[in-house]
């Protein structure tokens, strides 16, 4: 019985873990946690903070972090932001949402060890002013 419970727990972790990470990455287990200010985000310049942690939960320092914001429909120019590290593992910058609606942000973080972390983070419901 104990063995079954363990397998059930592992299966559950895989299912839940997959749900939290919509895109594949070559830095498995790393987390990219995005915070936007204002909340909910609004058309125009928004403050962006991205917290990067490795598979052990430790902050990932000295990464080269770039964001690309896109809308869920065709025909829009993407918005870019280069983030600066403001605290160990915390990267801040400004991203311009040029239109209200549903956006997604592509995170590209080049790690000092040469690996690249890629994430797609949905930002639904950017509010028009
Ligand atoms: Cu649009």
């Amino acid at each position: 019985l104990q063995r079954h419970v363990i397998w059930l727990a592992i299966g559950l972790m895989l299912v839940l873990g997959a749900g939290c990470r919509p895109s594949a990455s070559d830095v498995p287990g790393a987390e990219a946690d995005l915070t936007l200010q204002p909340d909910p985000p609004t058309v125009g310049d928004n403050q962006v903070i991205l917290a990067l942690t490795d598979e052990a939960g430790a902050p990932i320092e000295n990464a080269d972090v770039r964001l690309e914001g896109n809308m869920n429909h065709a025909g829009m120019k993407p918005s870019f932001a280069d983030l600066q590290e403001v605290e160990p593992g915390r990267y801040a910058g400004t991203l311009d949402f040029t239109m209200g609606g549903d956006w997604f942000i592509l995170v590209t973080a080049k790690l000092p060890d040469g690996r690249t972390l890629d994430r797609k983070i949905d930002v639904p419901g950017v509010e028009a002013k």
Side-chain angles (χ1 to χ4, degrees):
L1 177 67
Q2 207 167 16
R3 188 174 296 172
H4 284 113
V5 170
I6 290 168
W7 280 113
L8 198 68
I10 291 172
L12 203 62
M13 282 192 301
L14 287 175
V15 169
L16 294 175
C20 296
R21 287 178 213 108
S23 71
S25 164
D26 58 1
V27 189
E31 297 282 344
D33 187 26
L34 186 79
T35 310
L36 289 162
Q37 200 57 245
D39 182 18
T42 311
V43 167
D45 281 341
N46 287 250
Q47 285 293 116
V48 184
I49 293 193
L50 188 79
L52 294 180
T53 48
D54 66 14
E55 41 276 83
I60 298 176
E61 298 180 49
N62 301 313
D64 192 0
V65 182
R66 188 159 209 237
L67 306 184
E68 178 183 336
N70 282 285
M71 290 199 78
N72 285 347
H73 64 90
M76 300 260 316
K77 272 191 199 156
S79 251
F80 296 98
D82 288 310
L83 305 191
Q84 304 297 321
E85 191 168 15
V86 289
E87 275 173 52
R90 285 172 73 82
Y91 301 83
T94 304
L95 191 66
D96 183 16
F97 292 119
T98 50
M99 179 182 163
D102 296 335
W103 287 71
F104 61 91
I105 293 177
L106 303 174
V107 177
T108 306
K110 288 186 179 126
L111 274 46
D113 65 7
R115 295 184 296 173
T116 301
L117 182 151
D118 292 306
R119 289 288 188 281
K120 177 175 175 251
I121 298 174
D122 287 321
V123 182
V126 171
E127 293 192 342
K129 269 180 188 160

